[in-house]
Amino acid sequence: MSGKTPHTDFERFIDRHLGPRDHDVKSMLELIGYDSLDSLIDAVVPEDIRRSQPLDLPPARTEPEALTELHGLASENQIYRSYIGMGYSNCFTPSVILRNLLENPGWYTAYTPYQPEIAQGRLEALLNYQTMVSDLTGFEVANASLLDEATAAAEAMALSISASKRSQQAIYLVDENCHPQTIAVMRTRAGVRDIQIKVGDPASFDFEQGVAGALVQYPGTLGNIEDYRDLCATARKAGATVTVATDLLALTMITPPGEIGADIAIGNSQRFGVPLGYGGPHAAFFASSEKNKRLMPGRLIGISKDSGGKPALRMALQTREQHIRRDKATSNICTAQVLLAVIAGMYAVYHGPDGLLRIARRVHAITNTLAEGLRRLGYTLVHDSFFDTICVEADAKRIEGVVAAALSRKINLRKVSETRLGVSLDETTTLKDLSDLVEAFAPDGIVPFDVNELAEETKDGKAIPQALMRSTPFMAHSVFNRYHAEMEMMRYLNKLEKRDLSLTSAMIPLGSCTMKLNAATEMIPITWPGFAGIHPFAPADQASGYHKMMEQLKAHLQEATGLPHTSLQPNAGAQGEFTGLLVIRAYQRARGETQRTTCLIPQSAHGTNPASAVMAGMTVVTVKTDDQGNVDIKDLRAKAEMHSDTLSALMITYPSTHGVFETAIREICEIIHQHGGQVYLDGANMNAQVGLCRPGDYGADVVHVNLHKTFAIPHGGGGPGMGPICAAEHLGPFLPDHPVVPLGHRQSCGTVSAAPWGSPSILPISWMYLALTGPDGQAEATKVAILNANYVAKKLEGAFPLLYSGSNGLIGHECILDPRPLKTTSGVGAEDIAKRLMDYGFHAPTLSFPVPGTLMVEPTESESKEELDRFCEAMLAIREEIQEIEDGRADKSDNLLRNAPHTMQVVAADEWTHPYSRERAAFPTAATRDHKSWPTVGRVEGAYGDRHFICTCQSWDPASFESSAEEA
């Protein structure tokens, strides 16, 4: 990021990013009791960690300047035709999906659907995705996405170990024909859990005692399609679990894993309409039999019913998850890939089963044509069976000539070895592309046959074994057979969008999950071909613009955190936690300190922390917090001394999840270092630190940074996210590496993601945010985030007391409101308040986390004073409604809160039996009469949905809901 252009105040992007105007800031400070923003910050942020100097970064650019600069970097990337494969395929994103979904803030600014009543559109889209995956893989249950194919395979391994009950020294078999990045991630995960990985030919797999499971690739990374029925039968007899890594498009033509006896199917849905993006973000899928539903990682969308008995969708079986089970969770997954899963599901909706089959047959036919053409040119095909990938064998000199000839035609091939090449085709491959490919393989580029004629001759050919041809139908549900006209598809997407509450409608006041502005200017570059069209394993010199952008972004993160080394590989915040711990573990092992396996975690830490620590092979020891929500220093010191010999790390969230800047943070870090441990700082709340203080300055050794929070990447309804880590000098050599694209880390902790740099195609968002705000703007954003949080807390202090605050009564960027006493006086709990807020047109604050029965609010710097006042007005009005119950003026069971939310259908129904008016139910404030986002279902009954577990579209029909649910 270079260049300096003076500009006037009205051109400052930060003034558009921040909600409060100058006069608003003044009045807000008056309410809180401070005469300036700096004096407020001085009172909130401990003096001994405050920076006196601004961040050493380039000055802010205007929006046109930043777009021009980034466009220049994008234009440095060269878009070759990549036939590399390895789990990534070029594809077409239907324009109706591109415009109405991917580029639509109504979809990308929504939050994870914890509040289902105002998330029914996204939940339906995810149910479509699950149904598509379930149908294509032949399994009863599919989840709502995972981070990528490699980590999905690792999650399948973990499930297999749990199912086998072989917790100690389990053996796991891996097909040598799996993608190399998948094998690398599995080795990393297995290495910290004492699992022995054996990579080899599946034909030689021995399901001896101790083998918990096996992974095979179908079709293989080199294209071959093998029949694994006998392997699955043998594994089952031995009590082992078989996972099949597969391809959704291929499954329209080949027998699904669920029909060959496998237990789990995983893979990448990227080729269903999601751009390559140099590796991500893409939604992985995970499907299994229903017996494994409580062991499955990630989110499951299920069908339940609302308070009126109508069908309603929700996230099912949540007691499995990290925010509830902590160190006993099925995985540490918090952010998944919802937006990308929705795109892939809608790709299937738009094309339908017949359309997908047409695409698959065309891809297979053109691959068959290529195979025959190469045979005629004298090449040997390593495998006779394939779907879209062939492996060609020839002498080394000839192979080298083909690679050079292909590159001269702007074509990338996969060099498997000195004598083998892999070629993977896709839906974008044309006959012209095919001709160019064949010319690259032909001596001197002279082809002795007509490729068009060859295509006609081979169009009916099949390279799929007859015994493995698919015979079962798929995607028969009406949703996949109705919206094939663009007008219908556009209306369907719009209908679902309107069933959700996103930032386009109202403030989303969630604590610990920053829902700030995702500016349109920041979002524009992600669909530019220069960023969207590059294969992750393309030669580095074709992505020079990407690498310049990533180096600039890394430098910025290093300056913001005060830590000199960065890895962009972690695909989400929780994966960043896991990666940071792996780096610490690798460092300590390199020093011979293999006994260091104890991880101290305060009660105030994020819920993902304990699950991440267990995944990293550590034993969790909980540290108490005091009455003010701070780490109990006495307890920390005692436990650090008790575990001094085995202490590996402290995981601490700062500012804490309780919303407080702990004044003893330097002392906390020093205690850990005195006992030989490292400090992992959870950077989920870096948005309260940027420009004011730096973790590296006050003692942190490694920190992850949530780009989907602090640095403006949107939540996407539950993903994508990015959780890069920044590390101290001594930890630099231990950062993640990659088997396909070596990153040069000499003593790497391993590989944590399928792609070398995680999800590069969303990094331009953070680059733009940083370029637009500059060092002064970033500090200003942090200050206003703290101002807004304290303003809300002050406005509500008489109605909803703060659970925790600093010694001066102030908070950081978020606050925990404590309505628990009201349960005794009125029968109203935090959930009732959360649901009633929907009637006021708001999303609820974070419910019952980190403290059960409380509400955590984080307004962010992007919300205006008017919107904050509207939210506070709603909360104060709700407190008055509770007062009516306490005074006996409202019924204790039939009242506005216990019946919330009120849908439009309920309010407009002929029958109304409640003791309060329809108007109070639906339009409690003047603002709601002007505009509000309506809940589309009544309060969802979670327990019913878990008892009657249904997670596909087959029963998503209101007319038949009751009978099908009872049958389930």
Side-chain angles (χ1 to χ4, degrees):
M1 303 181 195
S2 60
K4 181 183 292 187
T5 301
H7 42 266
T8 55
D9 285 347
F10 75 86
E11 291 177 311
R12 292 197 335 148
F13 169 80
I14 191 64
D15 291 333
R16 303 193 186 281
H17 176 81
L18 299 176
R21 305 294 88 193
D22 288 344
H23 63 277
D24 295 325
V25 170
K26 183 178 179 181
S27 66
M28 293 163 74
L29 285 166
E30 287 176 357
L31 178 71
I32 301 169
Y34 288 83
D35 59 6
S36 72
L37 191 53
D38 284 338
S39 64
L40 171 67
I41 298 305
D42 287 341
V44 170
V45 183
E47 183 180 0
D48 68 334
I49 67 170
R50 282 290 305 277
R51 281 178 59 80
S52 59
Q53 299 296 321
L55 295 173
D56 184 15
L57 294 167
R61 268 84 91 207
T62 64
E63 293 182 55
E65 287 171 344
L67 281 171
T68 299
E69 185 176 344
L70 189 57
H71 194 274
L73 292 177
S75 65
E76 291 185 32
N77 297 326
Q78 301 176 63
I79 311 301
Y80 281 36
R81 290 167 288 178
S82 288
Y83 304 120
I84 298 170
M86 300 173 71
Y88 302 94
S89 302
N90 203 6
C91 62
F92 294 120
T93 305
S95 297
V96 64
I97 293 174
L98 178 72
R99 176 61 58 88
N100 294 286
L101 203 164
L102 177 57
E103 298 177 342
N104 183 351
W107 283 96
Y108 65 69
T109 69
Y111 181 60
T112 307
Y114 284 117
Q115 297 296 332
E117 296 84 358
I118 47 176
Q120 289 294 296
R122 205 161 355 108
L123 288 166
E124 182 172 331
L126 290 173
L127 191 73
N128 294 344
Y129 174 81
Q130 290 182 177
T131 303
M132 170 195 77
V133 171
S134 178
D135 279 9
L136 289 172
T137 60
F139 285 110
E140 301 98 324
V141 181
N143 73 12
S145 78
L146 293 178
L147 295 175
D148 58 34
E149 180 171 342
T151 53
E155 296 289 353
M157 176 177 66
L159 188 155
S160 299
I161 304 299
S162 298
S164 71
K165 308 253 188 322
R166 295 184 177 100
S167 58
Q168 298 296 320
Q169 296 181 331
I171 299 169
Y172 197 80
L173 309 176
V174 178
D175 182 357
E176 63 189 7
N177 205 19
C178 287
H179 300 314
Q181 68 271 20
T182 298
I183 296 173
V185 169
M186 295 187 74
R187 287 192 189 278
T188 301
R189 293 281 192 99
V192 295
R193 294 194 57 190
D194 201 22
I195 300 168
Q196 183 182 355
I197 293 279
K198 291 185 177 181
V199 179
D201 183 351
S204 65
F205 279 1
D206 182 3
F207 289 92
E208 60 185 308
Q209 186 175 4
V211 173
L215 172 71
V216 295
Q217 191 98 32
Y218 169 79
T221 190
L222 300 181
N224 55 309
I225 302 174
E226 306 293 340
D227 192 335
Y228 291 117
R229 289 186 178 95
D230 289 345
L231 183 145
C232 292
T234 302
R236 183 158 295 177
K237 286 179 183 177
T241 298
V242 174
T243 297
V244 174
T246 189
D247 179 284
L248 292 178
L249 193 64
L251 290 180
T252 64
M253 295 185 69
I254 65 176
T255 303
E259 294 180 19
I260 63 173
D263 301 281
I264 301 169
I266 61 99
N268 183 1
S269 66
Q270 174 266 318
R271 73 186 310 165
F272 276 26
V274 181
L276 288 165
Y278 207 33
H282 307 136
F285 60 86
F286 191 113
S288 186
S289 55
E290 190 165 346
K291 70 178 182 180
N292 289 324
K293 64 186 179 185
R294 293 191 180 275
L295 296 174
M296 285 183 67
R299 306 272 157 70
L300 293 169
I301 308 307
I303 303 172
S304 187
K305 66 176 183 179
D306 73 359
S307 52
K310 291 174 53 181
L313 301 171
R314 64 181 285 272
M315 294 197 301
L317 304 177
Q318 289 187 55
T319 53
R320 308 158 17 258
E321 293 191 54
Q322 42 71 29
H323 62 289
I324 294 176
R325 296 200 73 201
R326 295 173 71 84
D327 55 321
K328 294 181 175 61
T330 55
S331 73
N332 74 333
I333 293 167
C334 183
T335 301
Q337 302 284 25
V338 167
L339 185 67
L340 298 315
V342 170
I343 291 171
M346 289 304 175
Y347 178 94
V349 168
Y350 192 47
H351 288 294
D354 293 339
L356 291 183
L357 195 53
R358 280 195 301 272
I359 294 169
R361 285 172 174 164
R362 185 184 174 282
V363 171
H364 184 60
I366 204 165
T367 309
N368 209 36
T369 301
L370 176 63
E372 180 57 28
L374 297 185
R375 288 191 192 100
R376 294 188 184 186
L377 291 174
Y379 290 90
T380 299
L381 298 190
V382 177
H383 308 109
D384 291 327
S385 64
F386 52 81
F387 168 64
D388 66 355
T389 298
I390 58 176
C391 185
V392 182
E393 195 163 51
D395 65 76
K397 184 176 181 181
R398 195 174 186 189
I399 290 294
E400 199 61 42
V402 172
V403 171
L407 286 172
S408 71
R409 291 166 171 79
K410 293 198 169 185
I411 293 172
N412 293 320
L413 302 175
R414 177 185 178 186
K415 191 174 181 181
V416 179
S417 69
E418 294 301 312
T419 58
R420 288 185 175 184
L421 286 179
V423 188
S424 298
L425 305 186
D426 55 61
E427 70 165 312
T428 69
T429 308
T430 65
L431 286 175
K432 173 63 170 65
D433 295 326
L434 196 62
S435 295
D436 291 344
L437 259 173
V438 174
E439 285 179 9
F441 278 89
D444 300 321
I446 300 172
V447 181
F449 52 84
D450 186 282
V451 172
N452 290 333
E453 291 177 1
L454 184 63
E456 186 63 27
E457 290 175 27
T458 59
K459 66 179 181 180
D460 296 323
K462 293 285 188 300
I464 299 172
Q466 187 59 41
L468 290 175
M469 291 292 293
R470 182 170 190 132
S471 60
T472 51
F474 56 91
M475 290 165 42
H477 191 273
S478 61
V479 74
F480 300 111
N481 295 278
R482 174 178 172 184
Y483 302 108
H484 302 159
E486 181 168 335
M487 185 76 84
E488 284 291 293
M489 187 67 183
M490 177 182 68
R491 288 172 178 162
Y492 181 56
L493 289 169
N494 185 64
K495 179 177 75 172
L496 296 191
E497 177 194 345
K498 300 306 181 191
R499 292 179 177 175
D500 281 14
L501 188 149
S502 70
L503 287 177
T504 63
S505 299
M507 167 186 176
I508 301 179
L510 285 149
S512 214
C513 290
T514 315
M515 300 297 290
K516 69 201 301 177
L517 172 70
N518 315 118
T521 299
E522 297 159 2
M523 299 299 295
I524 285 171
I526 66 171
T527 56
W528 289 347
F531 290 131
I534 301 180
H535 192 285
F537 304 143
D541 60 3
Q542 295 173 20
S544 60
Y546 247 127
H547 288 278
K548 287 180 183 178
M549 179 199 70
M550 291 191 291
E551 286 304 311
Q552 292 170 4
L553 182 59
K554 287 163 65 174
H556 198 129
L557 297 179
Q558 289 159 10
E559 172 64 13
T561 61
L563 294 164
H565 295 281
T566 302
S567 171
L568 297 173
Q569 198 171 116
N571 255 324
Q575 196 178 42
E577 296 170 12
F578 173 66
T579 306
L581 294 178
L582 288 186
V583 170
I584 290 171
R585 180 180 183 273
Y587 164 74
Q588 290 169 340
R589 288 189 167 244
R591 292 162 55 89
E593 298 175 323
T594 56
Q595 82 284 1
R596 293 196 176 275
T597 58
T598 300
C599 187
L600 303 183
I601 302 181
Q603 291 173 329
S604 58
H606 269 99
T608 50
N609 286 180
S612 295
V614 170
M615 279 178 56
M618 296 183 180
T619 301
V620 174
V621 173
T622 302
V623 177
K624 297 176 183 176
T625 53
D626 61 24
D627 293 341
Q628 286 73 47
N630 300 311
V631 172
D632 186 321
I633 300 295
K634 184 178 179 181
D635 188 55
L636 173 71
R637 193 179 298 277
K639 285 173 177 169
E641 291 175 355
M642 182 187 306
H643 299 282
S644 185
D645 290 342
T646 63
L647 180 60
S648 175
L650 167 76
M651 297 186 80
I652 185 167
T653 304
Y654 197 75
S656 76
T657 311
H658 292 160
V660 178
F661 278 91
E662 306 202 27
T663 57
I665 186 63
R666 281 189 181 274
E667 182 183 0
I668 289 169
C669 295
E670 288 168 1
I671 290 170
I672 300 304
H673 290 149
Q674 287 167 6
H675 293 278
Q678 297 285 292
V679 176
Y680 168 85
L681 189 133
D682 185 318
N685 296 338
M686 271 296 296
N687 58 303
Q689 298 188 67
V690 177
L692 304 183
C693 55
R694 305 194 307 178
D697 293 345
Y698 55 76
D701 298 290
V702 60
V703 57
H704 90 260
V705 181
N706 280 0
L707 298 187
H708 52 290
K709 292 175 62 178
T710 303
F711 296 110
I713 292 176
H715 274 251
M722 278 287 277
I725 61 170
C726 294
E729 186 65 41
H730 63 282
L731 298 178
F734 305 94
L735 293 177
D737 216 297
H738 198 275
V740 183
V741 185
L743 304 176
H745 300 301
R746 302 186 310 276
Q747 297 169 282
S748 172
C749 65
T751 305
V752 296
S753 296
W757 299 280
S759 295
S761 71
I762 54 175
L763 296 179
I765 303 170
S766 294
W767 189 98
M768 284 292 294
Y769 172 76
L770 295 168
L772 291 167
T773 51
D776 295 337
Q778 286 154 53
E780 196 171 343
T782 305
K783 293 175 183 179
V784 173
I786 293 171
L787 168 69
N788 281 1
N790 280 280
Y791 178 71
V792 169
K794 189 71 174 179
K795 290 268 287 188
L796 298 179
E797 69 177 352
F800 298 100
L802 279 178
L803 184 59
Y804 300 118
S805 64
S807 58
N808 47 19
L810 298 171
I811 56 170
H813 62 302
E814 62 190 6
C815 59
I816 300 178
L817 306 178
D818 189 6
R820 290 176 296 182
L822 301 176
K823 190 76 173 177
T824 302
T825 60
S826 66
V828 170
E831 183 177 13
D832 299 312
I833 297 170
K835 303 305 181 187
R836 180 58 175 155
L837 267 171
M838 296 176 193
D839 290 330
Y840 285 79
F842 284 105
H843 196 289
T846 304
L847 178 63
S848 289
F849 178 84
V851 181
T854 63
L855 297 166
M856 185 160 58
V857 178
E858 181 177 355
T860 85
E861 70 272 17
S862 297
E863 297 299 344
S864 66
K865 179 178 180 293
E866 289 80 5
E867 186 71 354
L868 299 180
D869 287 340
R870 194 170 75 87
F871 171 72
C872 291
E873 178 190 10
M875 289 293 289
L876 294 171
I878 288 171
R879 182 61 185 91
E880 284 298 314
E881 293 169 355
I882 296 170
Q883 188 68 49
E884 292 177 10
I885 302 170
E886 292 174 319
D887 296 344
R889 290 177 287 140
D891 190 271
K892 204 160 188 175
S893 57
D894 187 3
N895 58 61
L896 288 160
L897 285 104
R898 298 301 295 275
N899 294 329
H902 298 81
T903 66
M904 189 181 298
Q905 293 89 337
V906 166
V907 173
D910 291 338
E911 184 179 8
W912 183 263
T913 61
H914 303 300
Y916 50 87
S917 69
R918 299 173 192 260
E919 184 176 26
R920 288 198 70 192
F923 303 110
T925 61
T928 56
R929 297 184 188 95
D930 176 56
H931 167 75
K932 81 169 193 174
S933 179
W934 284 81
T936 54
V937 295
R939 193 175 304 194
V940 178
E941 297 187 21
Y944 180 91
D946 286 351
R947 289 196 309 270
H948 305 87
F949 181 67
I950 305 169
C951 68
T952 61
C953 292
Q954 274 67 19
S955 301
W956 183 232
D957 179 0
S960 62
F961 173 70
E962 290 294 343
S963 60
S964 61
E966 291 303 326
E967 288 171 8

